[in-house]
Amino acid sequence: SDYGVNWKVDSTMTDVNSISQLQITSDNRIFAGHYKGKISANKMLLTSIDDKINNIITGYSINQNYPNPFNPTTTIEYIIPEESFVTLTVYNVLGKKVATLVNKIQKSGNYKINFDAANLASGVYFYKIKAGSYSDTKRMLLIK
């Protein structure tokens, strides 16, 4: 209210949407200006900044497993934009279910599942996700 002449710590900041400006000082402290005229300061020194951009989740998706081909483990990543009942199932080329990796309600977010196929034979497998009205299938190759 006095154009920055007097400062006080506001440790009650709970609404990050009210932040109007961020300032990082030469001694690596962060100050946040609020639309309501308040200033907040972090109590700890800034030691690193995550340079990953946090995108807003706009839809369901499932990525190709990696590595692919694999032996015997691989990772499957998927995105859920809203709380949904999710099933992630692995099938062989004959359509027989060989593993269920996920079968539960999950909140919105990014997920990563490790699949261990040590007990399966080499060959082509398919993984299928169902979440809400979304469904998708991808192919993967196990080489031993």
Side-chain angles (χ1 to χ4, degrees):
S1 62
D2 59 3
Y3 301 100
V5 174
N6 294 297
W7 291 56
K8 68 178 183 174
V9 174
D10 175 16
S11 62
T12 63
M13 185 183 83
T14 58
D15 182 11
V16 295
N17 294 321
S18 70
I19 295 174
S20 63
Q21 185 176 14
L22 290 175
Q23 176 70 41
I24 302 175
T25 64
S26 60
D27 63 346
N28 292 326
R29 295 191 182 274
I30 297 176
F31 292 89
H34 298 244
Y35 286 115
K36 298 175 184 173
K38 297 179 180 180
I39 301 294
S40 294
N42 71 331
K43 295 180 182 179
M44 301 173 67
L45 288 175
L46 177 67
T47 57
S48 67
I49 296 175
D50 186 354
D51 62 357
K52 294 180 184 174
I53 298 172
N54 292 326
N55 294 325
I56 296 172
I57 298 172
T58 58
Y60 293 93
S61 69
I62 188 163
N63 295 335
Q64 185 62 51
N65 66 300
Y66 65 91
N68 191 35
F70 67 100
N71 177 25
T73 61
T74 190
T75 301
I76 300 169
E77 294 182 3
Y78 58 96
I79 298 172
I80 304 298
E82 60 190 10
E83 186 173 289
S84 305
F85 188 85
V86 178
T87 58
L88 180 58
T89 312
V90 179
Y91 299 90
N92 65 18
V93 291
L94 300 174
K96 180 183 176 191
K97 184 190 311 184
V98 296
T100 300
L101 306 178
V102 178
N103 190 34
K104 63 183 177 181
I105 294 175
Q106 292 186 308
K107 295 184 184 281
S108 171
N110 299 319
Y111 292 89
K112 190 183 291 189
I113 300 293
N114 292 317
F115 173 53
D116 186 349
N119 62 337
L120 298 176
S122 295
V124 174
Y125 292 86
F126 298 91
Y127 56 98
K128 181 175 186 173
I129 188 168
K130 288 183 183 179
S133 61
Y134 175 76
S135 178
D136 196 5
T137 303
K138 303 268 186 201
R139 183 179 62 127
M140 60 184 164
L141 179 61
L142 171 62
I143 299 176
K144 291 187 174 183

